């Protein structure tokens, strides 16, 4: 299911029509296998704007919506997973197909990417799993 995003603040009947609140409203009605309880939440963004800790906390809560089937007769909330944001390192950009020139298509100001609260969330893809930079 595709969940669209629309800029701006949505209120009233449109509050849950777009973005992470729409995603939350969909996930709240779903039941997942028990192994998804508190599972890592892996996200990749096409850009990294001026994210706030408050927004990321709400986004994490939305991704953690839903229930886990503990047994055929018991469900429990999924619980908050740990958000892991995939973001390229300078070295990954350097050795990429387009090199540094390709890095210009990765919108993320240094002041946004280097926020203290983001550092433990930033991860890179690797051949043996996801590794934290911190």
């Amino acid at each position: 299911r595709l969940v669209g995003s629309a800029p701006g603040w949505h209120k009233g009947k449109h509050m849950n029509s777009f973005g992470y609140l729409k995603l939350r409203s969909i996930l709240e009605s779903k039941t997942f296998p028990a192994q998804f309880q508190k599972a890592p939440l892996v996200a990749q963004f096409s850009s990294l704007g001026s994210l706030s800790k408050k927004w990321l906390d709400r986004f994490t809560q939305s991704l953690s919506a839903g229930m886990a089937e503990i047994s055929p007769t018991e469900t429990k909330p999924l619980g908050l997973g740990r958000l892991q944001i995939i973001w390229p390192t300078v070295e990954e950009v350097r050795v990429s197909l387009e090199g540094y020139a390709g890095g210009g298509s990765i919108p993320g100001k240094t002041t946004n990417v280097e926020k203290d609260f983001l550092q433990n969330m930033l991860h890179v893809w690797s051949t043996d799993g996801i590794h934290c930079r911190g």
Side-chain angles (χ1 to χ4, degrees):
R1 184 167 187 184
L2 181 62
V3 176
S5 180
W9 294 93
H10 309 288
K11 298 178 182 178
K13 68 179 185 174
H14 299 293
M15 188 168 173
N16 294 322
S17 297
F18 305 100
Y20 74 87
L21 290 177
K22 174 67 174 183
L23 181 60
R24 179 185 296 187
S25 69
I26 293 169
L27 293 176
E28 284 174 337
S29 68
K30 304 295 181 189
T31 301
F32 301 91
Q35 69 259 29
F36 287 98
Q37 274 194 296
K38 298 184 180 181
L41 305 168
V42 180
Q44 183 174 6
F45 300 95
S46 60
S47 66
L48 196 60
S50 183
L51 298 173
S52 68
K53 182 165 180 359
K54 182 178 179 180
W55 188 91
L56 283 172
D57 288 344
R58 289 180 179 171
F59 181 66
T60 300
Q61 290 169 355
S62 293
L63 293 178
S64 299
M67 303 297 283
E69 183 177 26
I70 306 306
S71 72
T73 59
E74 181 184 10
T75 59
K76 289 185 179 180
L78 282 175
L80 286 178
R82 183 170 170 246
L83 183 60
Q84 299 176 345
I85 300 172
I86 305 303
W87 194 254
T89 64
V90 172
E91 179 64 8
E92 287 176 317
V93 172
R94 185 185 73 78
V95 300
S96 69
L97 184 61
E98 295 181 15
Y100 286 126
S105 65
I106 304 170
K109 290 182 180 178
T110 302
T111 55
N112 294 337
V113 176
E114 291 183 348
K115 290 181 179 179
D116 287 341
F117 67 87
L118 274 179
Q119 296 313 298
N120 290 333
M121 295 180 194
L122 296 177
H123 290 71
V124 296
W125 284 120
S126 71
T127 56
D128 60 346
I130 299 174
H131 295 281
C132 182
R133 291 183 208 182

